[in-house]
Structures are given as C-alpha cells and as structure tokens.
Amino acid sequence: QVQLQESGPGLVKPSQTLSLTCTVSGGSISSGGPYWSWIRQHPVKGLEWIGYIYYSGRTYYNPSLKSRLTISVDTSKNQLSLKLSSVTAADTAVYYCASAGRLGELSLRYWGQGTLVTVSS
Amino acid sequence: DIQMTQSPSTLSASVGDRVTITCRASQSVNSWLAWYQQKPGKAPHLLIYKASSLDSGVPSRFSGSGSGTEFTLTISSLQPDDFATYYCQQYNDYSGTFGQGTKVEIK
C-alpha cells in the first residue's frame, strides 16, 4: 500500500516561499498515482484543493492559487513537491499530499498525515 | 469554477439512525464525486468514489448516489465510529473543489 509523508519547514515568514516535499513509499510515483494532489486545511476550517499533478508532470492548479503555485514530481526520488510563493497569514494551514491510487480516477485514496505550516514573522 | 454546497452543516443523530448528507454542485460534474470522512487531527479517508462506488474496506452501511448536480451520502445505521466530519469533492474537468463539510454529532 502506498504511504505518503510530507516534510518541510513548519514556519515561513510572510512574502517568502513555502516549500514542501511529499515522499512516497510502498509504490512508485507512476504506479501509485498516477495522479497526485496537494490539499490544505486552514485551522478549524474545511479542505481546499490546491492542485493535481500527473506522474509525467502535467499539472492542474486551483485558479485562486495558480499565480503563486508550482507542483512538480521527481520520479528518481519518488517525491512530489509544492512551492507557494509570496505567502501571507492566509496560507497558514495543514498541508496534505494525496494520491488517486486508481487508473482513471482523481478521487484521493491515499493521504499523508499532513504537516502544519504557519506563516508568521 | 465549480462550487460545492453541502447540507446540513451540522447533524445531530443517535447510534442506529439513518443519516443522509446532500452535496450540490453549481454545474454538472457527471459522476465525478467523492465522499471523505475526517476525524479530528487526522487526514481525510476516502469512502465513496465516482458517486456510488464504495472504496475497499469501507463498511457497507455507507452508500452514495446521484449524478449531475445533486448527490447524497447515506449511512444506513450510524455507528459510534461514524461521528466525524464528512466532505464531498467534485473532480470533474481536472479540478477538485470540496464542499464545506458536514459534522455528524452525537445527539
């Protein structure tokens, strides 16, 4: 079974770039997806979809974040990454990576445990 | 952008009750609709995909129905482990909007 683990700084200063990595185990990026996703959850709030990436690198972004967002995959390291630039306090959230785990599906079957990122000076 | 609206926002129910949660889309998402369960401090857990397909290992008391713009998640007989927050997600056209969530509380 695919397992995912998010990692990255827990504290980012306003205006800087938030960078997170999701390490995949128990399967490869190509077979364990093939679609992968980042989702975030603001404190005591609901879920917000950030974007999808196909294992080959094709991306689909939330229009509200698109201008600041880069999602990529590194198949050699079995990792995906998220970069969100020009962050503000509104970007404080728990960030999850997830995978579809089924061909032809974008529903998210496998999730990481999430990592809290706080934007503060 | 497709908007997803869940109702109710909060639901109080007792063990053994039949529970129904509704999710409406602002435009058709065909059957590209998933339901997730989330417990405090934990990641969401996929229950239903493609509107009505039960993910493996999910108890059969959970079921999903609908297509187009209106969908329902039904729990046929609520169990103590089911008190949680439930989210729908549309994934039509390579986007992934979530509903705002429905919290199922103990009555």
Side-chain angles (χ1 to χ4, degrees):
Chain A
Q1 176 164 323
V2 173
Q3 294 183 321
L4 300 90
Q5 178 69 59
E6 304 90 348
S7 60
L11 182 65
V12 180
K13 288 181 167 45
S15 80
Q16 293 189 341
T17 295
L18 181 162
S19 296
L20 295 175
T21 297
C22 176
T23 300
V24 179
S25 58
S28 69
I29 287 278
S30 56
S31 65
Y35 284 97
W36 302 82
S37 185
W38 287 96
I39 303 96
R40 69 182 182 180
Q41 187 166 31
H42 298 96
V44 204
K45 291 273 181 86
L47 300 166
E48 180 181 22
W49 171 71
I50 297 173
Y52 285 115
I53 185 166
Y54 192 61
Y55 78 95
S56 62
R58 175 79 185 265
T59 54
Y60 308 87
Y61 293 157
N62 185 325
S64 70
L65 298 170
K66 187 175 183 177
S67 63
R68 302 191 289 131
L69 183 62
T70 303
I71 297 175
S72 60
V73 292
D74 186 333
T75 53
S76 66
K77 293 182 179 179
N78 233 25
Q79 292 177 335
L80 58 153
S81 69
L82 175 147
K83 293 187 188 301
L84 186 65
S85 64
S86 304
V87 296
T88 69
D91 296 308
T92 293
V94 174
Y95 286 76
Y96 296 99
C97 61
S99 76
R102 276 189 182 91
L103 290 174
E105 268 294 312
L106 291 171
S107 57
L108 300 168
R109 193 179 193 192
Y110 302 113
W111 291 68
Q113 64 186 25
T115 187
L116 175 62
V117 178
T118 301
V119 178
S120 175
S121 55
Chain B
D1 299 357
I2 299 174
Q3 308 300 317
M4 306 301 291
T5 304
Q6 284 182 237
S7 60
S9 297
T10 306
L11 187 157
S12 296
S14 302
V15 173
D17 285 353
R18 181 181 180 88
V19 166
T20 299
I21 299 169
T22 298
C23 181
R24 290 188 173 87
S26 59
Q27 64 190 74
S28 176
V29 299
N30 298 294
S31 293
W32 301 117
L33 191 286
W35 289 97
Y36 301 87
Q37 178 193 67
Q38 187 180 33
K39 296 183 178 178
K42 301 292 188 181
H45 171 61
L46 179 65
L47 299 173
I48 303 283
Y49 65 99
K50 213 181 295 180
S52 61
S53 297
L54 202 66
D55 195 27
S56 58
V58 175
S60 59
R61 63 181 179 274
F62 291 94
S63 63
S65 64
S67 65
T69 62
E70 187 151 340
F71 302 86
T72 58
L73 172 70
T74 300
I75 309 172
S76 61
S77 178
L78 197 66
Q79 298 302 300
D81 192 48
D82 301 338
F83 291 98
T85 301
Y86 294 83
Y87 294 92
C88 63
Q89 182 203 20
Q90 68 81 20
Y91 50 99
N92 188 64
D93 199 24
Y94 296 100
S95 61
T97 323
F98 288 90
Q100 81 277 19
T102 295
K103 186 175 183 180
V104 177
E105 297 181 327
I106 300 173
K107 192 171 184 179

